[in-house]
Amino acid sequence: MLEDRYIGLAHGNGGRYMRELIAEIFARHLANPGLDTRLDAAAIDLGDGGVTFMTTDGFIVQPLEFPGGSIGSLAVHGTVNDLAVCGAEPKFLTLNAFIEEGLEVAALDRIVADLAAAARATGVAVVAGDTKVVPRGEGGGLYLATTGVGVRPTGCHYALENIQAGDRVLVSGPVGDHGICVMLARGDFDISGDVRSDSASVLPLTRAARDFPGVRFMRDPTRGGLASVAHEIATATQLTVRLRELDIPVRDPVQMVCEMLGYDPYYLACEGRVVAVVAAEQADDLLAAWRDMEQGAGAAMIGTVEPGNDRVILETSVLGERLLEELEEDPLPRIC
Amino acid sequence: MLEDRYIGLAHGNGGRYMRELIAEIFARHLANPGLDTRLDAAAIDLGDGGVTFMTTDGFIVQPLEFPGGSIGSLAVHGTVNDLAVCGAEPKFLTLNAFIEEGLEVAALDRIVADLAAAARATGVAVVAGDTKVVPRGEGGGLYLATTGVGVRPTGCHYALENIQAGDRVLVSGPVGDHGICVMLARGDFDISGDVRSDSASVLPLTRAARDFPGVRFMRDPTRGGLASVAHEIATATQLTVRLRELDIPVRDPVQMVCEMLGYDPYYLACEGRVVAVVAAEQADDLLAAWRDMEQGAGAAMIGTVEPGNDRVILETSVLGERLLEELEEDPLPRIC
């Protein structure tokens, strides 16, 4: 590891200190046959067949480490999941690190190790990267960005346009864990609770979904949560999305914190869940397939797409209903 | 354009404000057939043949706008040039923006317009993006990261390993313009000078180089400048790189500022230059080809690779010589 205890501006200058930082933190953890830190660009082999997809995501979560993950693993899962919900198999990642002067080298080392472990577990190779060091006070310790390239098998096509009235809405597990976990980890409120982030690759879930041609569309409900995905569907299709509050899985400690602080769990970020819209006749089978998997054990059928205009209706537990409006002010910034 | 005059945290929250920011600033400027901001990931068509390359770069330059460019155009040129010096044709870019709460919307708009113009001029499509808003005081106004994918024609292969003793070193134009331009634009010193950034795509230069099979290796001398590229060559080959001070092009105002402030121009960043190592028998021809081009008008043959150990020697103008050491402390941070 680096001899220095804290990151300095010189670690970003293109000279010896930067070379050491890259060799002793980034290259050490991220070593793979595709990564040669001496190259300006990395050759990637996408194989034959399929459609190539590319996506990118930035990460500014505070704190940098939290129960169930860190900004490092989150940066892998976020981008991998964006490819996965398109039906693609993620293959290659690039990594940008904006490091604040004064960050503890040991913390950076833990985070990059966590990132590398997540990449290995997911089967993606980090093939290129860039580091910048910004002055003390800027940069929130560490910001990351990852960009992913993957390949979707031919014949697989998910799109908002495929959605039809009568389709069912599924979610692969409880919502809001990541948002509440990070909020509690900040210690801003005098509340503690046993909530771990759901941060994880959703690839097992999206791979299973490929067996069901009735799957119209999938999305991972991150910033803006389940409600924002429902709004995206309603806006794109000009149909009504009807969700049933009683069927939406929310863990007890998440529900309790939401009630204490007046948050609505449907707007909270998840980082390891999938929302799927599927033809009615295959909805039960996809649900059963997901529930058979460790990661989908808490999956539920939570609503339907109905004729009507661009609205999201929540059937409340008292058999009334209310509109879920589009998110405006953010209850929880810096969650991902 | 956005009705708001300043960026707020709500512009990063995944809801309505973020949707408006993306539609009215990013999507408006960056519109191209490959960009659908509603998708999690974008399909990219790399065509057949060749080797696919991927690279990424982060940008933290201060100030955000400077004579000859902005962080927006720089973010295109930086990543395009990393692909170009590998011999690849850049095809697709992704964009990450970390925006500071309080940034003037008009400034963001100018910068994204500059980015879009640079992408159009270079022939690359921005196919995916992500925005995050960080609290006031962090983020230096705006940080960007871009990731590029391109294709290198088969038969083209540049690598440090190809370099042999006897090879010549060329640079495509004067060094240090970008570094001094940005430094002057900061106004930290009571010096003014007519120095514009050299920020530009080097693709015309690297395309021309493809006609010369004697080209061993190319690099764009950004952070750490010409001296750092020379060190990279010497370290990888365990040969000596000998540069001739009299032959290295440095513009008069750059030289003057360097003398006043004690900077060494060989360590200053360029953002539109190429250093090439080429077989001796083709060096004159490549130089002539570059000099015939507008962007290579100031090209020069500046040194040789010699037997010997891992060293960079500068023949000084008084016919003595000195070692160019590897950069340690950065004279000019936040230059790209």
Side-chain angles (χ1 to χ4, degrees):
Chain A
M1 208 151 99
L2 285 189
E3 283 173 29
D4 314 273
R5 180 154 173 210
Y6 300 100
I7 296 292
L9 283 175
H11 285 110
N13 69 3
R16 180 170 71 85
Y17 290 104
M18 192 174 89
R19 181 169 52 75
E20 288 175 358
L21 170 71
I22 290 170
E24 294 174 33
I25 303 275
F26 290 93
R28 187 164 58 86
H29 288 302
L30 296 168
N32 71 71
L35 182 67
D36 181 345
T37 56
R38 300 177 313 160
L39 298 178
D40 263 326
I44 57 177
D45 180 3
L46 296 162
D48 294 325
V51 180
T52 302
F53 279 79
M54 189 171 184
T55 190
T56 195
D57 216 346
F59 301 88
I60 59 171
V61 65
Q62 288 287 340
L64 299 175
E65 298 172 284
F66 45 80
S70 74
I71 192 172
S73 47
L74 198 65
V76 171
H77 297 146
T79 291
V80 158
N81 290 350
D82 282 347
L83 290 167
V85 294
C86 290
E89 287 289 312
K91 301 253 187 193
F92 302 102
L93 287 184
T94 61
L95 171 67
N96 301 94
F98 297 90
I99 309 170
E100 182 180 348
E101 177 188 18
L103 178 66
E104 252 199 299
V105 169
L108 182 64
D109 191 67
R110 283 195 305 275
I111 288 164
V112 178
D114 193 39
L115 188 153
R120 271 193 301 275
T122 314
V124 291
V126 177
V127 292
D130 183 70
T131 57
K132 292 286 183 291
V133 179
V134 299
R136 201 179 296 269
E138 291 188 18
L142 181 66
Y143 305 150
L144 297 178
T146 52
T147 304
V149 168
V151 177
R152 185 170 76 182
T154 43
C156 176
H157 181 63
Y158 306 128
L160 286 161
E161 289 75 16
N162 298 343
I163 296 172
Q164 299 170 22
D167 287 349
R168 301 294 191 260
V169 181
L170 271 62
V171 67
S172 66
V175 299
D177 293 10
H178 179 74
I180 293 298
C181 160
V182 169
M183 193 275 287
L184 293 176
R186 282 184 200 154
D188 291 345
F189 301 98
D190 191 17
I191 304 174
S192 61
D194 186 20
V195 183
R196 287 174 67 82
S197 169
D198 56 298
S199 175
S201 157
V202 300
L203 266 175
L205 299 162
T206 59
R207 283 178 184 148
R210 278 199 214 120
D211 294 336
F212 299 90
V215 173
R216 318 286 198 193
F217 170 79
M218 293 189 286
R219 180 76 92 207
D220 52 329
T222 56
R223 268 187 295 182
L226 174 63
S228 295
V229 174
H231 264 283
E232 204 176 354
I233 295 167
T235 303
T237 60
Q238 293 294 306
L239 297 170
T240 292
V241 176
R242 176 178 292 270
L243 301 176
R244 293 178 303 270
E245 187 158 46
L246 275 174
D247 292 334
I248 301 173
V250 182
R251 289 190 204 281
D252 288 342
V254 171
Q255 189 69 53
M256 277 171 51
V257 173
C258 283
E259 283 169 12
M260 290 170 72
L261 298 178
Y263 292 158
D264 189 333
Y266 313 126
Y267 294 93
L268 297 180
C270 312
E271 292 290 345
R273 305 292 177 220
V274 181
V275 174
V277 181
V278 58
E281 64 273 17
Q282 291 196 330
D284 287 322
D285 292 342
L286 176 60
L287 181 62
W290 275 2
R291 283 190 172 163
D292 273 350
M293 304 170 67
E294 188 185 344
Q295 217 184 319
M301 200 177 318
I302 59 171
T304 52
V305 181
E306 298 183 344
N309 52 12
D310 168 10
R311 287 189 308 175
V312 178
I313 295 172
L314 184 73
E315 288 185 9
T316 55
S317 43
V318 290
L319 298 181
E321 59 182 48
R322 64 180 169 101
L323 287 180
L324 276 186
E325 301 291 349
E326 189 176 5
L327 178 67
E328 298 215 336
E329 289 300 327
D330 195 358
L332 281 176
R334 309 200 67 174
I335 219 69
C336 63
Chain B
M1 208 151 99
L2 285 189
E3 285 175 28
D4 314 271
R5 182 154 170 212
Y6 300 99
I7 296 294
L9 282 175
H11 286 111
N13 70 4
R16 179 170 71 84
Y17 290 103
M18 191 174 90
R19 181 169 50 75
E20 288 175 359
L21 170 70
I22 290 170
E24 293 174 34
I25 303 275
F26 290 93
R28 185 164 59 84
H29 288 301
L30 296 168
N32 72 70
L35 182 66
D36 181 345
T37 56
R38 301 177 314 159
L39 298 178
D40 263 324
I44 56 177
D45 180 2
L46 295 163
D48 293 324
V51 179
T52 302
F53 279 79
M54 189 170 185
T55 189
T56 196
D57 216 345
F59 301 88
I60 58 170
V61 64
Q62 288 288 339
L64 299 175
E65 298 172 285
F66 45 81
S70 73
I71 191 171
S73 47
L74 198 64
V76 171
H77 297 146
T79 291
V80 158
N81 290 351
D82 282 346
L83 290 167
V85 294
C86 289
E89 286 290 310
K91 302 251 186 193
F92 302 102
L93 286 185
T94 61
L95 172 66
N96 302 92
F98 297 90
I99 310 170
E100 181 180 349
E101 176 188 18
L103 179 66
E104 253 200 299
V105 169
L108 182 63
D109 191 66
R110 284 194 305 275
I111 288 165
V112 179
D114 193 40
L115 188 153
R120 272 192 302 275
T122 314
V124 291
V126 177
V127 292
D130 183 70
T131 58
K132 293 286 182 289
V133 179
V134 298
R136 198 179 298 270
E138 291 186 19
L142 182 65
Y143 304 149
L144 297 178
T146 53
T147 304
V149 169
V151 178
R152 185 171 76 183
T154 42
C156 178
H157 181 62
Y158 305 129
L160 286 161
E161 288 75 17
N162 299 342
I163 296 172
Q164 299 170 21
D167 287 349
R168 300 295 190 259
V169 180
L170 271 62
V171 67
S172 66
V175 299
D177 293 10
H178 179 74
I180 293 298
C181 159
V182 169
M183 193 274 288
L184 292 176
R186 282 183 201 155
D188 291 345
F189 302 97
D190 192 19
I191 305 175
S192 61
D194 186 21
V195 183
R196 287 173 67 82
S197 169
D198 56 299
S199 175
S201 157
V202 300
L203 265 175
L205 299 162
T206 58
R207 283 177 184 147
R210 277 201 214 117
D211 294 336
F212 299 90
V215 173
R216 318 285 197 193
F217 170 80
M218 293 189 286
R219 180 75 91 206
D220 51 329
T222 56
R223 268 186 294 181
L226 173 63
S228 296
V229 174
H231 264 282
E232 204 175 352
I233 295 167
T235 304
T237 59
Q238 292 295 307
L239 297 170
T240 292
V241 176
R242 176 178 293 270
L243 302 176
R244 293 178 303 270
E245 187 158 47
L246 276 175
D247 292 333
I248 301 173
V250 181
R251 289 189 203 283
D252 288 343
V254 171
Q255 188 69 53
M256 278 172 51
V257 174
C258 283
E259 283 169 12
M260 291 170 72
L261 298 178
Y263 292 159
D264 189 333
Y266 312 126
Y267 293 92
L268 297 180
C270 311
E271 291 290 344
R273 304 291 177 225
V274 181
V275 173
V277 181
V278 58
E281 64 273 17
Q282 292 197 328
D284 287 322
D285 293 342
L286 176 60
L287 181 63
W290 275 2
R291 283 191 172 163
D292 272 350
M293 305 170 67
E294 188 185 343
Q295 217 183 318
M301 200 175 321
I302 59 172
T304 52
V305 180
E306 299 183 343
N309 51 11
D310 167 11
R311 287 188 308 173
V312 178
I313 295 172
L314 184 73
E315 288 185 8
T316 55
S317 42
V318 290
L319 297 181
E321 59 182 49
R322 65 180 168 101
L323 286 181
L324 275 185
E325 300 291 346
E326 188 175 7
L327 178 65
E328 297 216 335
E329 289 299 327
D330 196 358
L332 282 175
R334 309 199 67 174
I335 219 72
C336 63

